[in-house]
Amino acid sequence: MTVFEQAVAALQPPMEAIGFAKVIHDGVFVGGQHGDFTPSVGMNSAIESEDAVCAILPILGVAHRPTLERLAELTGVRGWKTGVVVSLPIGSVMPEEPFARWKFNDGNLAGQARSLTEAVESYGVPWMGRMADLDAMRLELDDGASHHVEYKLPVVLDLLGRTDEARTHVEAQLIRLADATHLKAQQHRAFAERFLRELEDGQ
Amino acid sequence: MEFPNGTKGFLEVRTGPTADLNANQEAVLPEIMNSGFVPAGNHASRAGLQPGVALEPLPVWVIYQTWPL
């Protein structure tokens, strides 16, 4: 068993006690659903000292089922359905701890698991609760640390009924990537074409 | 990662007395700089990235620290 696997095993009882009972993707703890919103904590890890130490920097995330299902349809990437819409490192919501992380080794597993879980409960759960609202997600996407915003934000705007802003956002991204030939530009163009076509068809 | 000035980049830190890139890193780091990359696997999911959805090319910094930090 690697130190990371031991750390995840040690985290299971305390994380379950605060409502994160399910583990997916070998280290993503999923909490209870609130309507269409589901919180999760990804145990983002780095191995140090030749596999003897596992540093975990928890990433908070909140999924919104209709947004992710639409993204899966628009892109053909089924994995969206088990992803998140907004995410950020837990340190971002901890006072004076922007790079908070917990170092696990085989002598401190239970203690570090308790400490990490306490931080999730004290700082992560309130943020995830605030994100269980589509307009709060929109603001977080606009001004936060989430990834793949160029896909998520227009879909969220459209679900909020702000279709013109969704269209404007996608068109701005198309202009930004107009001369680019890399893979992201190719993927985004395919998404944008389909998204804009569906907006046209819906009007 | 995103630096305090807003610049995004890929930072690889290698530590220890034999600090070096492994074969996979030697292959993938130039790709990240030139073509971007597609996150994959559980590690990407744990970091909040969406596996299968490409990220744009990023500057890459490799730091070798041969003495324990």
Side-chain angles (χ1 to χ4, degrees):
Chain A
M1 218 175 179
T2 65
V3 182
F4 175 72
E5 290 167 339
Q6 292 178 58
V8 169
L11 282 161
Q12 282 178 355
M15 286 294 287
E16 184 172 350
I18 65 165
F20 293 81
K22 187 176 167 188
V23 183
I24 62 170
H25 295 311
D26 193 21
V28 178
F29 287 74
V30 181
Q33 205 169 325
H34 302 278
D36 287 327
F37 298 91
T38 306
S40 61
V41 183
M43 300 302 171
N44 190 31
S45 63
I47 301 301
E48 300 176 0
S49 304
E50 297 180 346
D51 298 340
V53 175
C54 174
I56 292 184
L57 189 159
I59 304 293
L60 310 174
V62 180
H64 178 244
R65 189 179 47 78
T67 298
L68 296 170
E69 286 181 352
R70 181 98 188 272
L71 284 165
E73 285 170 21
L74 287 164
T75 60
V77 176
R78 291 176 54 83
W80 277 113
K81 292 183 181 179
T82 54
V84 294
V85 176
V86 289
S87 60
L88 89 175
I90 194 170
S92 301
V93 290
M94 292 177 68
E96 299 174 17
E97 293 277 358
F99 302 106
R101 59 185 182 157
W102 285 259
K103 292 192 173 189
F104 288 78
N105 60 53
D106 60 10
N108 71 0
L109 295 165
Q112 288 295 78
R114 271 196 307 276
S115 168
L116 189 158
T117 304
E118 284 169 10
V120 170
E121 186 173 30
S122 299
Y123 303 106
V125 170
W127 179 83
M128 291 187 275
R130 290 196 295 277
M131 288 302 115
D133 173 89
L134 199 54
D135 202 48
M137 279 188 161
R138 175 189 64 81
L139 290 168
E140 179 67 22
L141 287 170
D142 240 350
D143 192 30
S146 304
H147 304 290
H148 311 297
V149 171
E150 65 281 5
Y151 294 90
K152 296 167 176 173
L153 187 53
V155 170
V156 167
L157 285 166
D158 189 35
L159 288 172
L160 286 166
R162 299 167 69 157
T163 308
D164 288 343
E165 289 171 71
R167 182 185 294 109
T168 301
H169 183 84
V170 170
E171 289 172 347
Q173 293 298 312
L174 282 172
I175 291 168
R176 190 177 74 81
L177 295 170
D179 297 326
T181 57
H182 53 70
L183 188 55
K184 174 181 171 175
Q186 295 171 36
Q187 279 191 349
H188 183 265
R189 271 184 215 112
F191 157 81
E193 282 170 17
R194 184 162 176 189
F195 184 74
L196 293 173
R197 193 168 61 240
E198 289 190 6
L199 289 188
E200 291 293 316
D201 292 346
Q203 287 180 343
Chain B
M1 65 179 294
E2 184 170 316
F3 294 96
N5 67 359
T7 304
K8 288 181 180 172
F10 193 98
L11 185 62
E12 179 71 45
V13 182
R14 308 298 292 171
T15 61
T18 59
D20 202 358
L21 295 177
N22 63 36
N24 284 342
Q25 289 164 334
E26 281 185 5
V28 81
L29 293 180
E31 285 293 309
I32 290 172
M33 285 191 288
N34 295 323
S35 311
F37 65 106
V38 181
N42 290 334
H43 207 110
S45 296
R46 296 198 295 263
L49 290 162
Q50 180 55 55
V53 179
L55 295 167
E56 61 195 312
L58 293 172
V60 174
W61 289 272
V62 181
I63 295 172
Y64 297 97
Q65 175 65 37
T66 52
W67 191 255
L69 293 171

